[in-house]
Amino acid sequence: MLKNFLLFASCLSFGFSFASENDSLALTNKDKKTSSIDFVESRYLNDSLDLFYVNNSQLFQEEWDHLAHPVFWKTLMTLSPDSCVINIGATREIVQYMTLDEWDEKSDDAKVVYRDSIRSVRGLSDDSKVYMTTGKRDFYTFEGVLPTISKGVEVFKQQNVDPWYAQAILMIESPGRLAKSNVGAFGSFQLMASVARSQGLTVNRYVDERKDFVKSAVAASSLIENVCIPEAKVILDKKGISYKENDLWFRLFVMHVYHAGAYNVAGVVNKINPNKGGMTLIQKMWITENGRFRNASQNYSQLALAAMLIFEDMIWECSS
């Protein structure tokens, strides 16, 4: 079905005030903040599905697509789960592709020797991490999430919240399915029960409104607007770091707050002790551990970037 996909319009700027063109009322500060966001509309040839999503041009203009970490995860997201890659943790350099059976055939001692040989050849320290990472194609079923993108974007627009976050979260959190994580997060926006309740949803033994897409999207937009973005600003302001809310690096920073919580993000930022933001700060967060900000937290914005790259590939390949 994706082969019938056609891109028929390019960047469209939309205001968030929902006023008519002739409306003389001044935009609120919140409206002004979001009115410059660009959108792209796409349509299947048979008109069975319209896609309305946020323009990802910063990915390419700022060359995030050239960074090793998101390119690594893009590879994993499209790799079969019966395959794996051996990679260096700090750089995500892929050393070797192999089947999972080939890896499992190695004894524990052989795996240790193999990892040590990689460290030796590349001049790495003894404590450098060398990972075996399996393909994730079975989890990242992006075709299934496409119908929800426009729906999520529209809900966030109606809430006057940057809809880029809806697009990013839907692409990496339980994409295309309703699933509960091993820590209890549930729904398309993977909200914890306590967080969902704090944003007005009913979650108890009888009712779980996290399974309702619109209600879950409203709760996620509220969380981002009223908790994640303000907390991100507090962390950056304490370091004297300037930012613009529509900058990709700031959005990725907010995504880390959404996933790991402000306390954990503040801890890793304090450890890095940066004097500026931008791509450099995000990259340092990818390789810096502190407290509970560890592997899964480090990977989160990498996954968002990788998913966006795959999303763009799907659209442009099918429109060519």
Side-chain angles (χ1 to χ4, degrees):
M1 184 168 61
L2 288 174
K3 295 300 181 183
N4 293 327
F5 201 48
L6 176 66
L7 186 72
F8 84 100
S10 60
C11 299
L12 303 172
S13 294
F14 286 84
F16 279 62
S17 64
F18 301 102
S20 68
E21 293 182 3
N22 297 323
D23 196 331
S24 61
L25 295 177
L27 291 173
T28 66
N29 289 335
K30 194 172 186 180
D31 291 331
K32 290 178 181 178
K33 179 180 68 177
T34 55
S35 62
S36 62
I37 296 174
D38 288 335
F39 297 87
V40 177
E41 187 174 3
S42 305
R43 177 174 294 166
Y44 285 106
L45 284 176
N46 60 8
D47 290 333
S48 63
L49 177 68
D50 290 339
L51 279 182
F52 186 56
Y53 60 97
V54 180
N55 181 16
N56 285 311
S57 60
Q58 287 186 64
L59 271 174
F60 309 103
Q61 292 170 352
E62 299 172 4
E63 299 188 344
W64 293 85
D65 58 318
H66 292 176
L67 299 181
H69 287 72
V71 170
F72 166 82
W73 284 110
K74 179 182 177 184
T75 300
L76 265 292
M77 287 174 170
T78 56
L79 190 67
S80 169
D82 60 3
S83 300
C84 65
V85 296
I86 312 304
N87 59 98
I88 298 170
T91 62
R92 288 304 188 184
E93 175 192 353
I94 295 176
V95 177
Q96 185 178 353
Y97 292 83
M98 64 176 67
T99 67
L100 196 55
D101 286 343
E102 288 173 328
W103 176 256
D104 289 339
E105 287 172 0
K106 296 179 182 291
S107 67
D108 290 344
D109 288 343
K111 291 174 183 177
V112 170
V113 171
Y114 176 69
R115 286 188 167 104
D116 285 343
S117 68
I118 292 173
R119 295 185 186 100
S120 177
V121 168
R122 283 166 172 74
L124 302 174
S125 63
D126 291 342
D127 60 352
S128 295
K129 295 178 179 178
V130 178
Y131 292 123
M132 182 282 293
T133 313
T134 58
K136 309 297 183 185
R137 191 174 67 196
D138 59 331
F139 179 80
Y140 291 102
T141 54
F142 293 116
E143 292 87 351
V145 80
L146 285 179
T148 70
I149 295 292
S150 295
K151 194 174 178 181
V153 165
E154 184 59 32
V155 171
F156 273 57
K157 277 183 61 184
Q158 290 172 356
Q159 300 301 311
N160 282 323
V161 179
D162 184 352
W164 181 91
Y165 294 108
Q167 185 168 302
I169 294 167
L170 289 169
M171 290 291 289
I172 61 176
E173 292 282 16
S174 189
R177 62 174 73 84
L178 281 176
K180 183 170 287 187
S181 75
N182 57 3
V183 295
F186 181 60
S188 297
F189 292 86
Q190 285 292 281
L191 298 172
M192 296 294 290
S194 59
V195 172
R197 293 188 194 103
S198 74
Q199 302 305 314
L201 297 189
T202 299
V203 181
N204 56 42
R205 67 168 62 184
Y206 306 109
V207 178
D208 191 341
E209 291 186 330
R210 292 177 295 175
K211 70 176 62 174
D212 184 296
F213 183 90
V214 173
K215 290 181 179 179
S216 186
V218 170
S221 68
S222 175
L223 176 64
I224 289 169
E225 180 69 12
N226 299 312
V227 178
C228 298
I229 291 176
E231 291 288 358
K233 290 179 177 180
V234 168
I235 296 168
L236 296 172
D237 288 343
K238 285 182 177 178
K239 295 296 181 182
I241 296 173
S242 60
Y243 49 83
K244 295 179 181 177
E245 289 192 36
N246 289 348
D247 283 346
L248 180 54
W249 79 265
F250 179 83
R251 287 165 162 167
L252 294 171
F253 189 83
V254 171
M255 288 283 284
H256 279 297
V257 176
Y258 182 87
H259 175 261
Y263 178 84
N264 293 315
V265 172
V268 77
V269 169
N270 286 334
K271 185 173 182 178
I272 296 170
N273 196 26
N275 55 21
K276 65 177 181 178
M279 183 186 289
T280 300
L281 173 56
I282 300 300
Q283 287 181 289
K284 287 181 178 177
M285 293 176 71
W286 292 347
I287 59 173
T288 306
E289 293 183 348
N290 187 76
R292 293 186 177 181
F293 193 94
R294 305 186 77 81
N295 192 44
S297 300
Q298 291 169 309
N299 292 341
Y300 199 66
S301 63
Q302 301 172 41
L303 295 172
L305 288 168
M308 291 298 180
L309 290 172
I310 292 172
F311 183 69
E312 290 295 318
D313 285 349
M314 290 168 63
I315 291 170
W316 289 106
E317 285 174 8
C318 293
S319 65
S320 62

